Amino acid sequence: MANETFDQTMMFQAKAEDELATSDILRTVYEALKEKGYNPINQLVGYLLSGDPAYITSHKNARSLIRRLERDDLLEELVRFYLESHDEEKSQ
């Protein structure tokens, strides 16, 4: 019986929750930066370009939250959202 599990290829599918977690973290960080009086776009760009978490406030645990995610995953999420939202605008 033990050999049966090694003879089959397992499938891995990323959960939709992971995508929601990325967008939720981005929204939380955005709101925390805004509440503290920062320009959230500038601060997020600074973080994405440099990788320096000092661009992100610790308010609402935003700095710890954003460090949970890889910067390339954040960029992927942002590009996907931008392109999909613009694609929807063109189809209307």
Side-chain angles (χ1 to χ4, degrees):
M1 282 191 203
N3 288 339
E4 289 177 25
T5 58
F6 292 115
D7 292 340
Q8 298 176 358
T9 301
M10 298 290 291
M11 293 283 292
F12 178 80
Q13 292 183 338
K15 297 178 184 176
E17 296 170 8
D18 293 340
E19 288 180 28
L20 291 175
T22 301
S23 62
D24 289 342
I25 288 172
L26 279 170
R27 289 179 207 281
T28 300
V29 170
Y30 178 89
E31 289 300 321
L33 288 164
K34 199 171 175 182
E35 285 177 14
K36 293 304 279 183
Y38 295 107
N39 179 324
I41 303 302
N42 289 346
Q43 296 306 110
L44 284 165
V45 168
Y47 172 71
L48 290 170
L49 290 176
S50 71
D52 185 353
Y55 283 98
I56 307 301
T57 182
S58 59
H59 179 62
K60 288 189 169 181
N61 205 27
R63 188 176 296 152
S64 294
L65 286 173
I66 203 157
R67 292 182 77 189
R68 291 182 187 178
L69 305 171
E70 296 293 329
R71 286 185 298 152
D72 59 336
D73 292 337
L74 287 168
L75 284 169
E76 181 181 337
E77 180 73 17
L78 292 168
V79 169
R80 179 185 300 116
F81 177 78
Y82 178 83
L83 292 175
E84 287 175 356
S85 65
H86 280 72
D87 190 40
E88 290 173 6
E89 288 175 6
K90 287 182 180 180
S91 64
Q92 291 180 352

